[in-house]
Amino acid sequence: MIDIENLGEMELDILKELGNIGAGHAATSLSTLLDKDVYISVPEVRVGEIKNIFNEFIPEIVAGVIIALQDLEENRSGYLYIMFPEESSKTIASSLFGLDELDEEMYESTIMEVGNILSSSFCDASADFMDIILLPSPPSFALDVPTAVVDSVVSQMAMKSNHIILFETSLSAGSDIKSYFALLPEAGLFEDIMKMTELL
Amino acid sequence: MNSKILFTSNEKGKAIFLTERNVLVKSYCSISNKCSFQDGCQSCDMANTAKKYLADTTPNSGIIALEGELSAGIGEYKIGKNILLKAMGLGSCVGVILYDISTGICGIAHVLLPGTSQNGETKYAEIAIEQMFEEMIKKGARRRKIAAKFAGGAQVFKHMNLEILKIGNRNAISVEETLIKKNIPIRAKDVGGEAGRNVMFNPADGSMIVKYTKGETLWL
């Protein structure tokens, strides 16, 4: 069992690089999908107490998808939460369809598919980097403030630990499209990171 | 003090006003659904009463000023007296309020998980409620007067592909069972649904304010 609270600089750096590579590839996918330039922010890794998680997320309503990550033996590696502020998600959905108005079901399903594409490229790239396998689950969609959405995921992690690691980065395409990525790794992923540091 | 929290009511409704430097900045109002200003609190009888109180702090019968606010983080509980209690951003979590109106001591717990644990962590429903209850009594609340209100336990995911995310309902059931087991009367509840909630407690009149993240406000 790894003590999340006392992770070293090296482990956090690997985690940051892992997320960075994943987000980079997701950005390429988003760029291809929208046919626009996509910019990526410098990622941040934070180790925090679960009780303070409310302060970590933007307070507005976002359209988001949660994807569970696991390895081949179905051990849970963590969760990926991809968020689009409401306006951005509408812009993405309508620009993909070339329509101004979409009915709710089409819109939700589009965002889920976008989440699916982004998470797949995220997983492929970061798993390749670490030489592990990360299989994304089908996306679960929710339209609400991020804290209300992640708390069911957080509750899963809270059974084992009072701390949580949050990797965050944002992608933007022009002024009208923004997207935030949060990666919440679980113990399985840390074991892989530890194995990697031993090899260095 | 620069920020005050005021409670006022009239025959039409009740409202909490958050103020900064004597300006109304935010309101939680029981008639906001019917109000054309939404939560902008430009002008109505209640807003005017509050503004008048801020302009000259002479005692005003229509206003009760609260001594600030306390917010319980995920898996925490907070206890106070004559203070606005908050649990923000509840999805599958449940906000549990225990209050004793006779002494004014009240508490709010932000419950994350159902059931109990071996090592007394307050993120679990049973432990949070038990510890908060005992601590309130230590602070002077009367055991037989304590009542409960709770809200939360939503299921925010519309297209659910992960079984493990269905925890909201279990949380709400666990809270209710614990309260019944401890013989704490349940005065109000608002559980389930698909939208996230912010839950507050106004000790001035003992009402739980449920503000949905998508707009609607309930006073229970």
Side-chain angles (χ1 to χ4, degrees):
Chain A
M1 187 72 209
I2 290 149
D3 190 0
I4 292 181
E5 219 178 324
N6 300 314
L7 276 183
E9 194 91 338
M10 174 87 98
E11 285 81 29
L12 289 179
D13 266 353
I14 293 184
L15 186 67
K16 199 189 267 186
E17 195 46 33
L18 173 87
N20 204 7
I21 290 173
H25 280 73
T28 312
S29 302
L30 188 63
S31 171
T32 318
L33 202 59
L34 298 171
D35 199 14
K36 276 186 177 169
D37 288 342
V38 171
Y39 298 91
I40 175 169
S41 73
V42 179
E44 265 189 73
V45 174
R46 279 193 298 263
V47 183
E49 283 186 81
I50 282 176
K51 63 181 182 190
N52 297 326
I53 200 169
F54 186 72
N55 307 326
E56 303 283 352
F57 289 106
I58 47 171
E60 57 185 293
I61 290 186
V62 297
V65 287
I66 290 222
I67 295 120
L69 312 171
Q70 50 184 221
D71 64 14
L72 262 190
E73 283 123 36
E74 302 196 337
N75 296 316
R76 186 78 73 218
S77 312
Y79 299 88
L80 186 63
Y81 181 27
I82 304 177
M83 295 160 260
F84 305 95
E86 223 178 341
E87 280 305 306
S88 297
S89 65
K90 294 218 162 99
T91 318
I92 291 172
S94 56
S95 77
L96 284 176
F97 277 94
L99 297 168
D100 284 340
E101 286 293 319
L102 281 179
D103 67 65
E104 206 174 320
E105 209 169 317
M106 281 294 255
Y107 156 71
E108 284 169 12
S109 147
T110 310
I111 295 304
M112 276 166 77
E113 189 48 30
V114 172
N116 208 4
I117 292 169
L118 298 187
S119 65
S120 301
S121 45
F122 187 102
C123 288
D124 273 356
S126 42
D128 208 30
F129 162 68
M130 295 215 359
D131 203 14
I132 53 168
I133 288 170
L134 277 182
L135 297 173
S137 73
S140 296
F141 177 87
L143 182 71
D144 216 309
V145 294
T147 356
V149 177
V150 292
D151 66 3
S152 47
V153 168
V154 168
S155 67
Q156 292 302 309
M157 309 184 123
M159 285 190 232
K160 292 170 211 141
S161 165
N162 281 319
H163 289 76
I164 203 158
I165 293 213
L166 193 64
F167 163 88
E168 259 192 318
T169 188
S170 67
L171 309 181
S172 58
S175 56
D176 53 347
I177 297 177
K178 287 237 171 342
S179 155
Y180 303 92
F181 278 67
L183 175 68
L184 301 115
E186 281 215 73
L189 195 57
F190 284 117
E191 277 155 30
D192 291 328
I193 290 175
M194 288 313 212
K195 274 183 215 146
M196 199 171 175
T197 51
E198 281 160 21
L199 294 176
L200 290 174
Chain B
M1 219 166 82
N2 279 331
S3 50
K4 290 192 189 109
I5 297 171
L6 307 176
F7 166 68
T8 181
S9 63
N10 63 21
E11 65 283 356
K12 286 185 219 131
K14 306 170 177 183
I16 292 270
F17 293 104
L18 307 186
T19 74
E20 248 159 58
R21 292 185 191 82
N22 290 343
V23 178
L24 307 185
V25 289
K26 200 166 171 45
S27 72
Y28 301 106
C29 179
S30 66
I31 50 172
S32 64
N33 315 353
K34 295 169 223 148
C35 176
S36 53
F37 295 117
Q38 297 291 330
D39 285 338
C41 47
Q42 263 86 347
S43 123
C44 71
D45 292 350
M46 288 190 288
N48 289 341
T49 319
K51 282 176 187 164
K52 209 172 133 208
Y53 174 85
L54 290 170
D56 65 305
T57 47
T58 47
N60 183 324
S61 59
I63 291 280
I64 299 172
L66 302 178
E67 291 157 19
E69 56 181 19
L70 270 177
S71 181
I74 296 178
E76 282 187 315
Y77 68 84
K78 289 281 164 69
I79 291 173
K81 195 173 175 178
N82 194 27
I83 209 160
L84 186 70
L85 297 171
K86 303 202 306 198
M88 309 298 274
L90 301 167
S92 63
C93 290
V94 180
V96 186
I97 294 151
L98 295 182
Y99 64 104
D100 167 10
I101 213 89
S102 67
T103 57
I105 291 167
C106 50
I108 192 164
H110 190 145
V111 170
L112 179 63
L113 288 163
T116 183
S117 88
Q118 301 301 325
N119 34 8
E121 294 164 299
T122 54
K123 55 198 173 196
Y124 290 89
E126 283 184 32
I127 295 173
I129 293 170
E130 271 161 29
Q131 285 193 12
M132 182 161 76
F133 187 81
E134 294 307 324
E135 196 178 322
M136 282 171 66
I137 287 164
K138 265 184 219 153
K139 294 203 160 142
R142 281 186 267 168
R143 196 174 285 268
R144 287 167 188 284
K145 299 272 183 187
I146 292 177
K149 292 185 176 184
F150 63 97
Q155 158 84 42
V156 294
F157 292 94
K158 279 195 194 147
H159 303 280
M160 186 62 115
N161 291 303
L162 291 166
E163 278 299 311
I164 53 130
L165 298 180
K166 294 178 182 170
I167 198 162
N169 193 29
R170 283 164 56 207
N171 277 337
I173 292 171
S174 178
V175 165
E176 187 155 2
E177 282 175 356
T178 310
L179 291 171
I180 292 170
K181 203 169 79 189
K182 288 192 69 75
N183 280 324
I184 304 172
I186 298 166
R187 300 277 185 243
K189 66 171 180 176
D190 176 43
V191 294
E194 287 184 343
R197 296 170 172 88
N198 293 318
V199 174
M200 280 156 282
F201 180 71
N202 170 24
D205 72 338
S207 50
M208 170 170 75
I209 306 163
V210 180
K211 167 106 178 125
Y212 281 90
T213 53
K214 288 171 187 165
E216 205 190 338
T217 307
L218 301 175
W219 283 60
L220 297 169

